[in-house]
Amino acid sequence: MGLARLDGRICLVTGATSGIGQETARGLASLGAHVVIVGRDRNRAESARKEIIEKSGNPRVDVLLADLSSLAGIRGLADEFLSSYPALHVLVNNAGTIELSRTTTVDGFERTFAVNHLAYFLLTNLLLPRLRASAPARIVNVASEAHRLGRIDFADLQSEKSYSAMRVYGTSKLLNLLFTVALAERLAGSGVTANCLHPGAVSTRLGKHNGIWAKLLIGLLRPFFLTAEQGAANSIFVAASDELAGISGKYFVKQRAVAPSRRSQRPGLARRVWARSNDLVGLPG
Ligand SMILES: NC(=O)c1ccc[n+]([C@@H]2O[C@H](COP(=O)([O-])OP(=O)(O)OC[C@H]3O[C@@H](n4cnc5c(N)ncnc54)[C@H](OP(=O)(O)O)[C@@H]3O)[C@@H](O)[C@H]2O)c1
């Protein structure tokens, strides 16, 4: 795959206590990186850390704890990272959720929107000065082919008028694409790239907290799904492939840049999403 060694590089991976994120962290550790994994549960995070160290043979794996559904949690994570690490070379925004019914976060946002989009947006913005100072650096946003189901309704971003789990999830993934496009535009010439990707249909814990029927359905589909290790291959490729040096603003499927949905390329939409997200998380304009 033409992956660069990452010795001496610092990588931050969210959602690394399970599935694609854990395997991505393991892959980056195997390439020699100093990997900081983010989890919200101390036990799960410590056991992921132990497993990543055992499988990669690299002891430089640290844990930071944060609930990414909370703006205060994201700010606390960024502060802790910035005060503990001198550089950031690879940020993998990976933590995600799908919610069968609508629930809200401590800040009053619809949960999927908050975890899948606002957390990517706020964490990246808070870490951006450190990424710029560490260039060449890469931002990797884990999106999904489900973005093709997404619709941006600026009058109902919190899905209060109507809620359908797949549409809301698809919209959050469309937001990942739009965020990547606007971010790449802002970062042009900085030495920091931003790309996003679809990992494939992967057997993970995604959606399993939604009750017995969701668990059963996911279990039935399991034979058709990729393993987490296979699913992480695309994230590792986008984070570390030599051939992607300087490439930014692209969407990758199976290690190839592909055209995302037409909706994600609508002129002005990415900038409008950026401005609204900026207001929602309370960043200066
Ligand atoms: N699986 C697929 O087929 C598929 C397809 C396309 C895209 N994706 C994307 O891939 C990414 C990873 O998903 P996965 O399939 O690996 O799912 P997963 O096994 O459920 O892993 C999700 C990760 O996100 C973390 N997370 C969820 N809510 C969080 C919160 N509020 N605060 C902090 N961490 C939180 C989870 O932490 P806990 O361990 O604490 O729960 C877990 O580490 C997601 O962005 C998803 O949308 C997955």
Side-chain angles (χ1 to χ4, degrees), residues 17-18 20 40 44 67-68 94 169 173 202 204-205:
T17 49
S18 173
I20 297 162
R40 59 180 155 170
R44 272 202 300 279
D67 181 349
L68 298 170
N94 165 85
Y169 176 74
K173 295 288 135 185
V202 187
T204 63
R205 280 183 28 240

Side-chain angles (χ1 to χ4, degrees), residues 28 115 129 160 194 240:
L28 298 175
V115 175
E160 287 166 299

Side-chain angles (χ1 to χ4, degrees), residues 12 36-40 45 62-66 77 80-81 84-85:
L12 183 67
V36 183
I37 64 170
V38 181
R40 59 180 155 170
D62 301 338
V63 165
L64 290 180
L65 294 177
L77 168 66
E80 204 179 343
F81 180 87
S84 310
Y85 300 92

